[in-house]
Amino acid sequence: MTSEPQPATTTAKHVATSPSYSITLRVEAPSGHRTASDLVAAVSATGAAITGVDVSESGADVLVVDITADTVDAAHVEQIRDALGALDGITVRHVSDATFLMHLGGKLEVNPKVPLRHRADLARAYTPGVARVCLAIAERPEDARRLTVKRNTVAVVTDGTAVLGLGDIGPAAALPVMEGKAALFKQFAGVDAWPVCLDTTDTEEIIRTVKAIAPVYGGINLEDISAPRCFEIERRLRDELDIPVFHDDQHGTAIVVLAALTNALRVVGKSIEDVRIVVSGVGAAGSAIIKLLQGQGARHVVAFDRKGALHAGNAGDDENRRHLAATTNADGFTGTLREGLAGADVFVGVSGPNILTGDDIATMADDAIVFALANPTPEVDPIAAAQHATVVATGRSDFPNQINNVLAFPGLFRGLLDAGAREITDEMLRVAAVAIADAVEPGELSASYIVPSVFEPAVATSVARAVAEVAERDRAGQAQGSAPSGRPAGTPAARS
């Protein structure tokens, strides 16, 4: 994103192996009693985390061993290959990558929900019987939610301009991420989602295209669209469609950050109304986080970009930045991120890697909370931060307290679809965050456990129930002529 401070001169020291770089090496070696153990020792010496060893072929003179290990990155894989190749009589036949193997042929498929066993089934599912259903929907368009996939289907829409931490890599390269997102929808909430990767970055064309495909879907999940275009696309689609439109990079992140901060504040015994919060990054995620935190009562927020604190004098012409400048930094602070961090209770980073050091965190208030969410490399080394802060969270799975959007979006859309909601409000985002926070029992809550596991099945169910209740309450209120509970989430927040 464009609104991140410049990197610090030091780099993060923590280097961890990851299942995302899991490999299997097929190694040919002279047969012997110690062959397998010698190979394992050589691989372990490089720092790889061995997860499996299998002798796939055994002969009088030759042994073929498959060694599976988690590594750090592609360079580490080559280091392992070189270490094995340096041993006498050893040949590395092949190295396979588990991540690429998982993606072969894609991660999604379509399966019919109804049996097609004989002519009678075919006559009802397709022609001629299907014509009756078509005519019924033509007469009552609202029945499409009841009689088609629309009731349980979400489009995951991107133009590939802001994919993960990779930047503008285009729609085709973005497809594996969108497939993964769709798989998470299904796995955690039973929602049928489908990737829609658009080969255009034109704002008006994206809006027209999404509107044109909307009849198929019960909701739109915007994903990995660069700021500031994402704000206009979301706002327009919210205004012009009668189904919920959600930008996960903004509001999904904000929901989980609010949930995590709620529990982190419980751990340190502080109140959201009283703490001073520093946010690094004023793009899509940072803006939404700030607005949702303010909606929950945060009063002392200062946002920072590469040039320092955002204030009325440097907001420029961007509407989003002007709004943030008007609703944050009430004291008019004009210094750098490091200067602004001194005495702060909370740091939320959604910007770039290695912009802070442990020494910077040491200047924060007692019982500080650090959410360093840049991925895959956080704003500050989590181990260094933990030497000074009481609670540390990242976006990574190899540290405690992973701030992961999958805690939010599956359950959120499950609730929206179940209630037949037509829009998303701030109150829905808020109750989703509360449901996630409350999924951690008081007896379980600690500095290293402030958010539930993404594999906790009750999370999506609780979020769905909370969101559906708000949607149903809004529908009842609208039927009686009252306004929805909370403004649409894409509109500016009130001044705090």
Side-chain angles (χ1 to χ4, degrees):
M1 80 181 49
T2 59
S3 54
E4 64 205 35
Q6 293 295 328
T9 55
T10 58
T11 58
K13 298 176 183 178
H14 179 80
V15 179
T17 60
S18 169
S20 67
Y21 277 99
S22 177
I23 62 167
T24 298
L25 303 110
R26 174 153 290 187
V27 184
E28 180 181 308
S31 184
H33 292 295
R34 293 184 51 84
T35 298
S37 60
D38 288 345
L39 294 175
V40 167
V43 174
S44 296
T46 69
I50 294 178
T51 58
V53 179
D54 181 56
V55 177
S56 61
E57 298 178 27
S58 180
D61 300 318
V62 174
L63 203 64
V64 177
V65 181
D66 290 340
I67 302 175
T68 302
D70 291 345
T71 66
V72 175
D73 52 25
H76 189 195
V77 174
E78 291 306 310
Q79 180 187 352
I80 296 170
R81 187 197 290 267
D82 292 343
L84 290 172
L87 300 177
D88 289 340
I90 301 299
T91 301
V92 179
R93 284 189 182 177
H94 181 69
V95 179
S96 61
D97 187 311
T99 297
F100 278 84
L101 290 174
M102 176 180 279
H103 286 76
L104 284 177
K107 301 187 291 293
L108 303 175
E109 65 180 9
V110 176
N111 284 309
K113 293 170 59 179
V114 296
L116 300 174
R117 298 164 299 190
H118 42 61
R119 292 172 63 87
D121 288 341
L122 194 60
R124 286 188 287 266
Y126 198 51
T127 184
V130 72
R132 296 174 55 214
V133 182
C134 294
L135 291 174
I137 294 172
E139 185 175 342
R140 284 175 47 87
E142 61 271 25
D143 279 353
R145 287 178 182 266
R146 184 172 63 89
L147 297 172
T148 73
V149 295
K150 186 180 181 75
R151 69 182 298 171
N152 195 53
T153 306
V154 170
V156 183
V157 178
T158 189
D159 63 358
T161 54
V163 181
L164 301 178
L166 307 175
D168 185 355
I169 60 175
L175 182 54
V177 178
M178 304 309 122
E179 284 187 10
K181 193 68 173 280
L184 294 174
F185 267 112
K186 188 66 172 180
Q187 178 70 29
F188 293 110
V191 172
D192 295 315
W194 195 255
V196 179
C197 300
L198 303 178
D199 192 13
T200 178
T201 60
D202 181 83
T203 296
E204 292 299 327
E205 189 171 3
I206 291 172
I207 292 169
R208 283 195 305 271
T209 302
V210 175
K211 288 173 63 179
I213 66 172
V216 179
Y217 300 99
I220 303 295
N221 185 117
L222 301 175
E223 189 81 16
D224 293 347
I225 299 173
S226 62
R229 295 178 310 113
C230 60
F231 301 118
E232 173 69 6
I233 291 168
E234 182 198 17
R235 183 188 65 78
R236 289 272 303 282
L237 289 174
R238 285 181 182 274
D239 289 344
E240 298 174 27
L241 289 176
D242 65 349
I243 56 176
V245 178
F246 180 75
H247 187 199
D248 190 45
D249 301 310
Q250 294 183 64
H251 303 301
T253 304
I255 289 170
V256 185
V257 167
L258 174 55
L261 184 58
T262 297
N263 279 344
L265 290 171
R266 289 169 177 168
V267 169
V268 300
K270 297 182 181 181
S271 166
I272 195 169
E273 293 84 3
D274 299 329
V275 293
R276 186 156 71 85
I277 302 171
V278 165
V279 178
S280 172
V282 294
S287 301
I289 288 168
I290 290 169
K291 291 174 185 177
L292 194 57
L293 294 182
Q294 289 174 327
Q296 190 69 355
R299 298 182 298 179
H300 311 292
V301 181
V302 183
F304 290 80
D305 64 8
R306 293 177 178 178
K307 298 178 181 179
L310 190 64
H311 54 83
N314 67 356
D317 296 329
D318 180 80
E319 181 181 356
N320 177 65
R321 291 170 62 87
R322 288 202 308 271
H323 170 72
L324 288 176
T327 57
T328 63
N329 196 4
D331 295 332
F333 180 79
T334 59
T336 66
L337 174 62
R338 287 191 178 84
E339 292 168 343
L341 205 61
D345 299 280
V346 178
F347 169 74
V348 179
V350 280
S351 50
N354 303 326
I355 60 174
L356 297 171
T357 68
D359 290 340
D360 298 319
I361 304 303
T363 69
M364 296 179 67
D366 292 340
D367 286 325
I369 296 168
V370 172
F371 290 177
L373 306 183
N375 227 341
T377 306
E379 284 82 358
V380 60
D381 176 7
I383 295 177
Q387 294 176 4
H388 307 285
T390 299
V391 180
V392 177
T394 71
R396 295 180 57 126
S397 60
D398 52 350
F399 288 101
N401 299 327
Q402 183 188 19
I403 307 298
N404 192 328
N405 288 17
V406 75
L407 287 166
F409 67 80
L412 177 78
F413 269 99
R414 178 74 277 152
L416 294 168
L417 293 169
D418 289 347
R422 296 176 178 271
E423 65 178 3
I424 301 176
T425 65
D426 281 355
E427 179 64 6
M428 293 176 185
L429 306 184
R430 190 192 71 79
V431 299
V434 171
I436 294 169
D438 289 347
V440 179
E441 297 291 337
E444 300 175 316
L445 189 62
S446 71
S448 59
Y449 188 61
I450 58 172
V451 287
S453 166
V454 298
F455 294 103
E456 172 54 56
V459 175
T461 302
S462 298
V463 171
R465 185 184 305 115
V467 170
E469 287 174 357
V470 173
E472 290 161 1
R473 191 164 63 241
D474 285 348
R475 186 190 300 112
Q478 289 168 349
Q480 297 174 4
S482 60
S485 57
R487 66 190 179 279
T491 60
R495 185 183 182 91
S496 58

